[in-house]
């Protein structure tokens, strides 16, 4: 995930670890902020944002809930290659940075950087990528990021 900045989101969803902010453009989610603390100030009447918010809520409540949300991730071709493999990690499973690096013919550090640039955590579940000996990083060292990763992994392993 890119560095988290306080910004207004289009859709705000309460989460067990705070709030999730979603940015929507052209009928696609283009950004997810796992530390959003500024709910949108206007009610949501459009079907897409309502559906997205409902699905994110269900993901937090139901085991194995499959998110089916249209999204568009902007990034380099390498980042998109890494994100494609991350998107294939099944719910409740993890992959190490080294394993992921082998799949994309790269090194673990480059893969970690691509994970850190992921604009769509939850949809591209980079929390499922861990270090050989522990959780590894998450949210590029943003305070509270590892707690969110721990919560997401624990929730998916229930």
């Amino acid at each position: 995930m890119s560095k988290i900045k306080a910004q207004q989101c289009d859709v705000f969803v309460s989460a067990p670890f705070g709030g999730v902010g979603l940015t929507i453009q052209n009928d696609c989610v283009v950004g997810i902020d796992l530390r959003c603390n500024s709910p949108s100030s206007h009610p949501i009447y459009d079907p897409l944002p309502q559906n997205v918010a409902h699905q994110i809520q269900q993901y937090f409540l139901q085991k194995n809930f499959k998110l089916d949300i249209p999204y568009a991730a902007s990034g380099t071709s390498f980042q998109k290659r890494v994100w494609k493999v991350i998107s294939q990690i099944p719910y409740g499973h993890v992959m190490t940075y080294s394993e992921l690096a082998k799949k994309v013919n790269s090194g673990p550090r480059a893969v970690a950087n691509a994970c850190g640039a992921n604009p769509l955590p939850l949809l591209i579940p980079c929390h499922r990528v861990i270090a050989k000996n522990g959780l590894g990083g998450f949210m590029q060292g943003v305070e509270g990021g590892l707690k969110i990763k721990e919560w997401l992994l624990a929730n998916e392993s229930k």
Side-chain angles (χ1 to χ4, degrees):
M1 272 145 285
S2 56
K3 297 265 186 226
I4 306 298
K5 297 180 179 90
Q7 62 184 34
Q8 188 70 24
C9 53
D10 296 320
V11 178
F12 177 85
V13 178
S14 291
F17 48 81
V20 175
L22 300 115
T23 304
I24 298 176
Q25 292 176 357
N26 301 324
D27 294 328
C28 290
V29 173
V30 296
I32 296 179
D33 177 353
L34 294 179
R35 292 193 52 223
C36 184
N37 57 6
S38 55
S40 56
S41 58
H42 54 280
I44 302 169
Y45 299 110
D46 294 331
L48 177 66
Q50 285 181 340
N51 179 39
V52 169
H54 176 74
Q55 285 192 53
I56 297 293
Q57 290 167 339
Q58 294 308 303
Y59 168 82
F60 292 136
L61 296 172
Q62 294 180 22
K63 179 167 178 55
N64 237 353
F65 185 82
K66 173 104 168 100
L67 295 168
D68 184 22
I69 296 171
Y71 67 87
S74 52
T76 67
S77 59
F78 174 73
Q79 289 169 337
K80 288 179 180 181
R81 212 168 73 228
V82 171
W83 299 339
K84 182 177 180 180
V85 175
I86 291 172
S87 295
Q88 296 167 353
I89 301 171
Y91 184 100
H93 292 81
V94 294
M95 179 181 289
T96 66
Y97 292 102
S98 297
E99 292 168 333
L100 181 54
K102 286 179 186 173
K103 289 185 177 278
V104 297
N105 298 318
S106 185
R109 188 170 300 249
V111 163
N113 287 335
C115 288
N118 176 10
L120 297 164
L122 300 183
L123 301 180
I124 302 171
C126 55
H127 60 277
R128 296 178 189 158
V129 183
I130 61 170
K132 285 181 188 176
N133 300 312
L135 286 180
F138 193 62
M139 297 175 62
Q140 294 187 337
V142 171
E143 186 178 339
L146 282 178
K147 294 272 186 218
I148 293 172
K149 183 174 186 169
E150 287 173 346
W151 190 93
L152 292 170
L153 290 172
N155 187 56
E156 290 186 2
S157 68
K158 290 180 186 177

